[in-house]
């Protein structure tokens, strides 16, 4: 979305941790005084540390050589040109849904196509938006801006503010150089459609900013530009209040987190009168939160559990979800709240819970449900619920006898997500999609309850002879793991179906049914099968599904994925010769583990923007922020597990591996490209076949524009064709 609207305070942290970068992606971040002796030993013994020099001459020379070799091989395949052409048709098509945000009766959208490679920020009226051909008014042409300023700008969103009942928006626009998570922030006047030469400006860094009023921001950034105010994870630790017209360096310090915290991020709570309550959320670990409010000269810590996500204020109630079983003791009475529940409590600025502020249960999911998202619209709370990996949206209001949850009349048996909601707007945008059902964007009126379809995607591939099935398999410990299978109707179970198995398994990220025109056209329509595994580590069944695989318990995640692969082979949907796997980021780590633990099960492995060196991951870029997920190499018990699991340290030259395809990005300043580089180098040194492609631009998505996306996808499906579709 072009307007950066937080659906919950928790998303400020997630966007900070998942959507920011190191202060300098050209160097390896090594936190001072935290590397234990074993880590120093790894430094001394690793012969390929030079590949961690992101833009080092020797490293880039190796990268370019591998790129040339891989491109020459895959692009020479006769199937490549056709796949790329089909991919370009899809990504550049004007028949896409222009998702947007509503402000004062106008819809704002960011749009990229073959002509507008870097994209347009544009707007139209809500009435025009509902037509087939909206009348768009361009706000910023980012291609023109990049040319004018001689910058490789990639638009990363805008956070806009206006006073209550006034349509005078000022925006903080985030611009990335080449697609990095690091951004430059510049103030923009939405009415005048221009950047303000004397407005708020933040230099490139890992920054967070929250509007308090037109003349005041809460800011966290790389103060002084030398890294001295960053945490050991490389995130900001100091929050300041910055007044318009004063130098940034004169901003008033409000809060300083510990160096050992992951980071500190400012937030505000919107009160009914339009005023804001100022605060900061501290992440001691990736999954824990501490919420502080600024009350005059005092800093007050809210009495919430460490595993909780703050949503915001509604009818003087503070809404939040809990990701742990939480016991509240008041006047000698203990009250238990179940992990995964949505709660509300009367809002007061206090560090303790009293009889008057005991939380209420708004919604408590069962063991096969998970609250995916909670947003606020005018007069309602909206809750997106996953029920056995099928989506529903509920409107929550306060009734005479308590909170009332009403299921919205939306399409069933697919994935539903609220793409836009705002406490000041009556209209909500909801997206629906399924594996074989193109996206539909619907509007929902909070005041009338009316639901109408605004936009629908065309079908990009033939679905008439395809079928979707949901299966489950017992993992090694007996836990039932669900997964989806999409394939041609009436296929023979003879082990010959080319099959792509996808997984992620981490950070409570749910893998839900989604429509993917590229996958459908370039794979399913050509006879391939696709399998989506809902393994532990994700959020499909709430916090406990995720927490089951944390740190030294992580093998259950890998056992789950292996169990799905073995089911596909045992039921003769496919065979190892025709089974490929794919995953990115944390899913890239999953792919690396599958390479080293069960190389016999697959014939193709696409390893995208991966973590692979698990004894040094915490020293590279944002890696230190993930020790809550993986464990720390500086803790002996956790290091022992990491060393036993780490793909980079479990590669053996004598083992027969399938030929992997490593895909990463030079500009990825979240997961260091050195992971993929070094693992690929092991294959090269052992004389084993592998493919490697590193996009020089593109950030963690490994693509900065639609053309690069089309090329990367065409390369991947050409590789899968070579490995899985040939006899």
């Amino acid at each position: 979305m072009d307007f950066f609207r937080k659906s919950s305070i928790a998303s400020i942290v997630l966007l900070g941790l998942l959507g920011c970068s190191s202060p300098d992606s050209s160097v390896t971040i090594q936190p001072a005084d935290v590397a234990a002796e074993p880590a120093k030993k790894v430094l001394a013994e690793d012969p390929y540390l030079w590949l961690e020099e992101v833009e080092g001459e020797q490293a880039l020379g190796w990268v370019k050589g591998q790129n040339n070799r891989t491109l020459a091989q895959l692009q020479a395949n006769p199937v490549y040109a056709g796949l790329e052409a089909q991919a370009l048709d899809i990504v550049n098509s004007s028949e896409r849904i222009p998702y947007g945000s509503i402000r004062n009766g106008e819809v704002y959208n960011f749009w990229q196509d073959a002509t507008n490679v870097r994209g347009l920020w544009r707007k139209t009226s809500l009435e025009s938006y509902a037509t087939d051909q909206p009348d768009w008014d361009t706000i910023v042409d980012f291609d023109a801006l990049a040319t004018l300023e001689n910058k490789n700008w990639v638009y990363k969103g805008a956070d806009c503010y206006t006073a209550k009942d006034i349509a005078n928006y000022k925006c903080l626009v985030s611009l990335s150089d080449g697609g990095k998570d690091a951004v430059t922030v510049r103030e923009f006047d939405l009415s005048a459609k221009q950047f303000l030469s004397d407005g708020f400006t933040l230099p490139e860094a890992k920054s967070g900013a929250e509007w308090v009023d037109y003349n005041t921001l809460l800011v966290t950034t790389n103060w002084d530009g030398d890294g001295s105010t960053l945490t050991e994870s490389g995130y900001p630790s100091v929050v300041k209040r910055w007044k318009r017209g004063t130098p940034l360096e004169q901003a008033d310090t409000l809060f300083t987190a510990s160096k050992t915290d992951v980071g500190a991020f400012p937030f505000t709570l919107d009160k009914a009168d339009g005023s804001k309550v100022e605060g900061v959320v501290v992440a001691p670990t990736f999954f824990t939160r501490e919420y502080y409010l600024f009350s005059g000269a005092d800093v007050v810590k809210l009495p919430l559990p460490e595993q909780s996500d703050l949503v915001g204020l509604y009818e003087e109630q503070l809404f939040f979800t809990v990701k742990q079983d939480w016991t509240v003791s008041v006047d000698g009475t203990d009250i238990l709240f179940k992990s995964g529940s949505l709660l509300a409590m009367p809002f007061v600025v206090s560090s303790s819970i009293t009889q008057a502020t005991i939380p209420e249960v708004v919604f408590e999911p069962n063991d096969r449900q998970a609250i995916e998202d909670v947003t606020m619209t005018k007069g309602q709370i909206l809750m997106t619920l996953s029920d056995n990996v099928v989506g529903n949206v509920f409107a929550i209001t306060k009734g005479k006898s308590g909170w009332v949850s009403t299921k919205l009349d939306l399409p069933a048996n697919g994935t539903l997500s609220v793409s836009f909601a705002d406490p000041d707007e009556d209209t909500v945008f909801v997206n629906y999609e399924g594996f074989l059902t193109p996206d539909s964007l619907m509007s929902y009126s909070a005041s009338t309850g009316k639901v109408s379809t605004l936009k629908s995607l065309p079908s990009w591939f033939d679905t008439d002879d395809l079928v979707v099935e949901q299966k489950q398999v017992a993992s090694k410990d007996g836990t039932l793991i669900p997964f989806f299978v999409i394939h041609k109707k009436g296929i023979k179970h003879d082990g010959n179906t080319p099959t792509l198995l996808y997984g992620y398994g981490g950070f409570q990220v749910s893998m839900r049914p989604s429509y993917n025109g590229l996958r459908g056209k370039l794979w399913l329509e050509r006879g391939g099968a696709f399998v989506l595994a809902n393994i532990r580590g994700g959020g499909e069944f709430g916090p406990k599904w995720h927490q089951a695989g944390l740190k030294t318990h992580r093998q259950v995640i890998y056992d789950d994925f292996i169990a799905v692969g073995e089911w596909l082979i045992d039921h003769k949907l496919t065979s190892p010769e025709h089974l490929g796997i794919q995953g990115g980021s944390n899913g890239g780590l999953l792919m690396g583990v599958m390479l080293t633990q069960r190389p016999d099960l697959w014939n193709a492995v696409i390893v995208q923007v991966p973590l692979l060196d698990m004894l040094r991951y915490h020293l590279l870029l944002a890696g230190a922020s993930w020790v809550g997920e993986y464990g720390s190499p500086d803790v002996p018990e956790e290091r022992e597990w990491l060393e036993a699991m780490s793909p980079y340290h479990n590669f053996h030259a004598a083992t027969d591996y399938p030929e992997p395809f490593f895909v990463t990005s030079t500009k990825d300043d979240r997961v260091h490209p050195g992971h993929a580089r070094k693992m690929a180098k092991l294959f090269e040194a052992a004389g084993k076949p592998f493919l490697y492609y590193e996009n020089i631009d593109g950030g963690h998505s490994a693509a900065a524009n639609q053309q690069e996306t089309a090329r990367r996808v065409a390369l991947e499906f050409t590789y899968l064709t070579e490995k899985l579709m040939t006899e």
Side-chain angles (χ1 to χ4, degrees), residues 87-149:
L88 283 168
D89 285 344
I90 293 172
V91 300
N92 286 325
S93 172
S94 60
E95 293 186 276
R96 288 180 282 129
I97 295 177
Y99 292 97
S101 303
I102 305 170
R103 290 296 178 273
N104 195 38
E106 294 182 308
V107 179
Y108 291 80
N109 161 258
F110 176 68
W111 181 262
Q112 290 176 292
D113 56 28
T115 302
N116 305 288
V117 176
R118 299 178 190 276
L120 300 174
W121 190 20
R122 58 188 190 171
K123 68 175 183 176
T124 190
S125 68
L126 189 55
E127 293 75 16
S128 179
Y129 183 72
T131 67
D132 292 336
Q133 298 292 328
D135 183 16
W136 292 105
D137 176 24
T138 298
I139 300 169
V140 179
D141 181 332
F142 289 101
D143 291 276
L145 181 68
T147 299
L148 177 66
E149 299 183 351

Side-chain angles (χ1 to χ4, degrees), residues 661-689:
F661 185 9
F662 298 98
V663 179
T664 190
S665 171
T666 306
K667 295 290 187 180
D668 188 347
D669 46 4
R670 193 182 316 168
V671 176
H672 199 291
H675 286 279
R677 292 176 180 181
K678 295 198 301 178
M679 190 76 178
K681 184 63 179 176
L682 290 179
F683 275 80
E684 182 183 44
K688 293 185 175 297

Side-chain angles (χ1 to χ4, degrees), residues 181-455:
D181 287 338
V183 294
T184 299
V185 178
R186 294 158 61 175
E187 187 178 1
F188 187 86
D189 187 312
L190 203 56
S191 298
K193 295 194 292 188
Q194 65 182 18
F195 288 98
L196 300 178
S197 59
D198 59 347
F200 289 118
T201 301
L202 293 172
E204 182 180 85
K206 179 184 305 184
S207 301
E210 282 288 307
W211 289 99
V212 176
D213 54 43
Y214 283 117
N215 297 311
T216 312
L217 296 179
L218 297 181
V219 177
T220 184
T221 188
N222 182 12
W223 301 101
D224 301 325
D226 60 1
S228 61
T229 60
L230 301 182
T231 66
E232 292 169 355
S233 296
Y235 291 98
S237 67
V238 178
V239 175
K240 299 186 181 185
R241 184 184 290 118
W242 186 20
K243 290 289 186 179
R244 186 181 298 280
T246 63
L248 180 61
E249 55 270 20
Q250 292 182 11
D252 296 327
T253 299
L254 301 177
F255 188 92
T256 301
S258 169
K259 283 282 189 178
T260 58
D261 289 326
V262 172
F265 307 88
F267 73 88
T268 58
L269 296 172
D270 296 324
K271 301 187 73 175
D273 62 3
S275 64
K276 292 179 179 288
V277 179
E278 302 172 50
V280 56
V281 51
V282 177
T285 71
F286 196 95
F287 303 108
T288 57
R289 308 284 182 264
E290 295 174 352
Y291 299 95
Y292 298 87
L293 299 181
F294 304 133
S295 179
D298 297 328
V299 178
V300 180
K301 183 180 179 181
L302 290 176
L304 302 181
E306 63 176 9
Q307 295 188 69
S308 60
D309 288 341
L310 201 57
V311 176
L313 292 177
Y314 170 68
E315 293 194 354
E316 304 304 316
Q317 298 279 314
L318 187 68
F319 272 68
F320 59 100
T321 59
V322 290
K323 296 184 176 180
Q324 64 183 80
D325 290 338
W326 181 42
T327 300
V328 173
S329 299
V330 178
D331 298 337
T333 301
D334 291 343
I335 306 168
L336 176 65
F337 298 99
K338 181 181 175 182
S339 176
S341 297
L342 174 63
L343 309 178
M345 61 187 291
F347 176 67
V348 294
V349 180
S350 173
S351 60
S352 61
I353 295 175
T354 66
Q355 195 70 39
T357 59
I358 294 174
E360 294 180 271
V361 176
V362 179
F363 187 87
E364 182 180 289
N366 63 38
D367 290 341
R368 301 302 282 182
Q369 294 176 329
I371 296 174
E372 293 282 352
D373 191 26
V374 183
T375 56
M376 290 187 289
T377 188
K378 199 167 188 176
Q380 293 180 348
I381 295 286
L382 296 177
M383 178 183 68
T384 304
L385 183 74
S386 173
D387 193 337
N388 200 28
V389 205
V390 172
N392 299 284
V393 178
F394 291 82
I396 297 174
T397 55
K398 185 73 169 179
K400 293 182 179 180
S401 59
W403 297 103
V404 178
S405 300
T406 304
K407 183 178 176 181
L408 300 189
D409 185 17
L410 297 168
N413 300 319
T415 294
L416 289 164
S417 57
V418 175
S419 66
F420 170 79
D422 186 274
D424 295 325
E425 299 288 343
D426 178 70
T427 300
V428 176
F429 289 156
V430 181
N431 193 73
Y432 172 81
E433 61 183 313
F435 287 115
L436 305 182
T437 306
D439 294 54
S440 292
L441 181 66
M442 293 162 288
S443 68
Y444 161 71
S445 170
S447 59
T448 67
K450 181 181 178 181
V451 175
S452 59
T453 300
L454 292 175
K455 312 280 183 184

Side-chain angles (χ1 to χ4, degrees), residues 4 21 80 109 151 210 227 251 256 280 375 386 444 478 481 484-485 497 517 572 614 652 669 678 686:
F4 181 62
S21 71
Y80 173 82
N109 161 258
K151 290 284 190 177
E210 282 288 307
T256 301
V280 56
T375 56
S386 173
Y444 161 71
I481 308 302
F484 292 95
V485 185
T497 301
K572 298 188 182 301
M614 298 309 290
H652 301 290
D669 46 4
K678 295 198 301 178

